[in-house]
Every structure is written in C-alpha cells, then in structure tokens.
Amino acid sequence: MDSGLVTGVRRFNRTVTQRIGALDDAFLARARPLGEARVLWEIGTAGCDVRELRERLDLDSGYLSRLLRGLERDGLVRVGPSPADGRVRTARLTEAGRAERAALDRLSDDAAAALLAPLSAGQRTRLVAAMAEVERLLTASAVTVAPCPPAHPNARHCLDAYFAELARRFDDGFDPARSISAADAEMTPPAGVLLVATLHGEPVGCGALKVRDGALAEVKRMWVAPSARGLGLGRRLLAELEAYAAGLGVRTLRLETNRALDEAIGLYKAAGYREVPSFNDEHYADHWFEKHLPGPRTLA
C-alpha cells in the first residue's frame, strides 16, 4: 500500500475525531462518551436486537455488552428477551433513554450547524458534498466479498432477490426453469463458485462462476442490492470472479444478459467484455459477451 495514502487517511482520522468531539469523555457535554451515545441512538425508538446492533456497528460482543450495561445502570436502556423469539436479546430505550436520545439529536444538530457556521455558502456546499463522497467510499470499503455455499441463508437471500428483480424488470417476467441452469452444484467448487457480498453482516450482492471446461467459464447470477448500488460493488464482484477464474486456468469468460438491464450492459462493456454472436439458446438473453483473460506470465 502506498505510504502516502496511508498517511493521508491517518491525518484525516485525527482531524475528524478531534473536530467531532470523539476524544471527549462527555460527548456533546453529556455524561457519557461517544460510544455510549452512538449505541443509544442506534437502538432507536423501536428497539434493536443486540446481534443486529453489534453487526451494524461492527463492535466486539464484549465491548457492546459493557456499553449496554453502562446504559442500563443509568436507567436509559433495558435488555431482555425479544417478544418474537425468546432466544434473541433485544435492547429498548426507557422513557429516560428516549428523552436522552432526543437531547442528543438536538445537540448533534447544533454541533453540525456550529461546524458549518464559520464557512462561506460555497464552502458549506463543498464540505457536505465531500462528506457524502467520503461516506460512500467508507461504506464501499466496509463490504466483504467471499465464497459462500449456495444453500447458505445469505446466498439464498441474494438469489431470491435476483430472481424477483428479473421478474419485475423483464418484459415477459422471469422463470428460472426456462433459463439456462446455474444450480447449486454448478456454483460449488470445483464446478464453480458463488461469491456473496455482505455489509455489516447483511447480504448485499452476489455473482457466480460456472466452469464449462478447463479454459471456459460463464459468469452468472450477478446482482447488487439497491441499497448498495453506487458503491462499485458490481465491478468488484466481477473482478473477483475474473481473478478466481484465472486461478483455475480459465482463459475465456462468457455471459449473456437481457436488454432491460442497461446498467449491467454498461458494466460489462466498461470491464472489457466485447459483444459477440449468441453462443447459447438462453430464453431471456438479448446480448452475449465474452472476455479473454491474460495467461500466466512467463520469464523471458
């Protein structure tokens, strides 16, 4: 990693943590640090399962437990079994907790206004736009992509959402039985692979590889959740599938898509796939693409 990039990130982190008051024991002049205040805010007025809270904030379970115990001691939170499932622990705000959260909201608004106040109108617009870009990129960096068994709940969630979206967008709907197969066995090594992307523990995308023979494979089941679009995740999934294929010795990747999927067509073209004549009888395909992967480097 470029040391200049690392230095820039660290400098940014120091500036932000100081400017927003993350270093103070009493965040926003309240009687608790930022960590407790953030947990209080995330629990929300409807309450939140502790497991979901931990995944959303990427917190160690022991540390989150300590934060919750502190809030319980202050009479702001109650933690107990979920009404829907007694095995699940849920955190809920007390009346005092709801009042404290409302106070934190007001103070946070005041702090944001105070940060913007010294700036000109143009500077404010630039700062908020830059913050939005940083937030988008930080969210993208929090996404993990890894192989996943097709029967895993995260994989099923993505595949079901993929089928449902195709059914909405295709002119004549979508029936997997009328499409060329990408069955679980075909997306399981060594026959292929299914990659699933997760963000804070939630599945947000997938892409599969179906190996035809040693040198040819097909890209299948490319999908990104609407909530994760704009993060470059489609390109990342495609690149990781290409890397996986190259590791297997695959030299040609093929895929087909429907004319309704404009963004997918744009992605494939931008990633170096060229449109070719049809190479299969996929019922829902209007466009067929192919890409040749570079072979292994040899020493001269």
Side-chain angles (χ1 to χ4, degrees):
M1 181 64 68
D2 187 313
S3 61
L5 296 177
V6 172
T7 298
V9 169
R10 294 186 59 187
R11 182 172 59 245
F12 176 83
N13 289 344
R14 290 193 297 271
T15 300
V16 170
T17 52
Q18 179 179 356
R19 193 70 181 88
I20 68 172
L23 305 178
D24 299 335
D25 287 337
F27 180 65
L28 295 177
R30 307 302 284 179
R32 58 193 46 82
L34 174 59
E36 287 189 2
R38 179 62 188 274
V39 168
L40 195 67
W41 192 87
E42 289 289 347
I43 290 171
T45 56
C48 184
D49 292 346
V50 173
R51 179 178 178 180
E52 180 184 343
L53 195 62
R54 182 172 67 247
E55 291 178 342
R56 188 188 303 167
L57 295 174
D58 290 329
L59 291 178
D60 172 81
S61 59
Y63 179 55
L64 177 59
S65 294
R66 291 193 294 274
L67 292 174
L68 288 172
R69 284 198 299 270
L71 293 170
E72 283 185 293
R73 283 194 301 270
D74 291 343
L76 303 177
V77 169
R78 284 193 299 268
V79 179
S82 166
D85 186 344
R87 298 168 298 177
V88 176
R89 296 171 65 238
T90 298
R92 296 186 181 279
L93 301 183
T94 63
E95 184 177 349
R98 289 191 291 272
E100 179 65 13
R101 187 179 186 275
L104 284 169
D105 265 343
R106 291 192 298 271
L107 291 168
S108 294
D109 285 346
D110 293 343
L115 188 151
L116 294 169
L119 305 177
S120 69
Q123 288 175 319
R124 293 170 190 169
T125 299
R126 286 166 50 204
L127 176 59
V128 172
M131 286 177 166
E133 176 69 359
V134 169
E135 180 185 10
R136 185 183 71 82
L137 293 172
L138 288 176
T139 300
S141 75
V143 175
T144 61
V145 175
C148 184
H152 189 279
N154 283 353
R156 298 322 310 175
H157 171 88
C158 290
L159 294 171
D160 289 346
Y162 167 78
F163 293 146
E165 179 163 350
L166 297 190
R168 289 193 305 270
R169 297 183 63 177
F170 288 4
D171 292 340
D172 55 349
F174 179 76
D175 178 1
R178 301 184 68 186
S179 179
I180 292 177
S181 71
D184 287 2
E186 295 173 306
M187 298 187 290
T188 301
V193 69
L194 175 67
L195 301 182
V196 170
T198 56
L199 176 60
H200 305 312
E202 296 296 321
V204 293
C206 65
L209 194 69
K210 177 179 171 180
V211 180
R212 284 293 191 184
D213 59 43
L216 175 66
E218 295 177 1
V219 175
K220 308 291 288 185
R221 306 307 191 231
M222 285 287 295
W223 175 80
V224 174
S227 62
R229 291 172 189 174
L231 301 178
L233 182 53
R235 183 67 187 92
R236 179 178 170 188
L237 282 164
L238 191 57
E240 297 212 18
L241 287 172
E242 290 173 2
Y244 189 95
L248 296 177
V250 171
R251 292 294 163 256
T252 301
L253 283 177
R254 286 178 172 175
L255 59 90
E256 69 279 335
T257 193
N258 187 276
R259 62 179 177 272
L261 304 179
D262 294 333
E263 65 275 44
I265 294 170
L267 167 67
Y268 301 139
K269 289 181 176 179
Y273 288 77
R274 64 184 184 90
E275 192 156 3
V276 296
S278 61
F279 47 75
N280 60 26
D281 58 354
E282 168 58 54
H283 174 74
Y284 296 103
D286 298 302
H287 301 274
W288 289 259
F289 291 92
E290 187 175 272
K291 182 176 182 177
H292 297 296
L293 302 179
R297 293 182 180 180
T298 58
L299 296 177

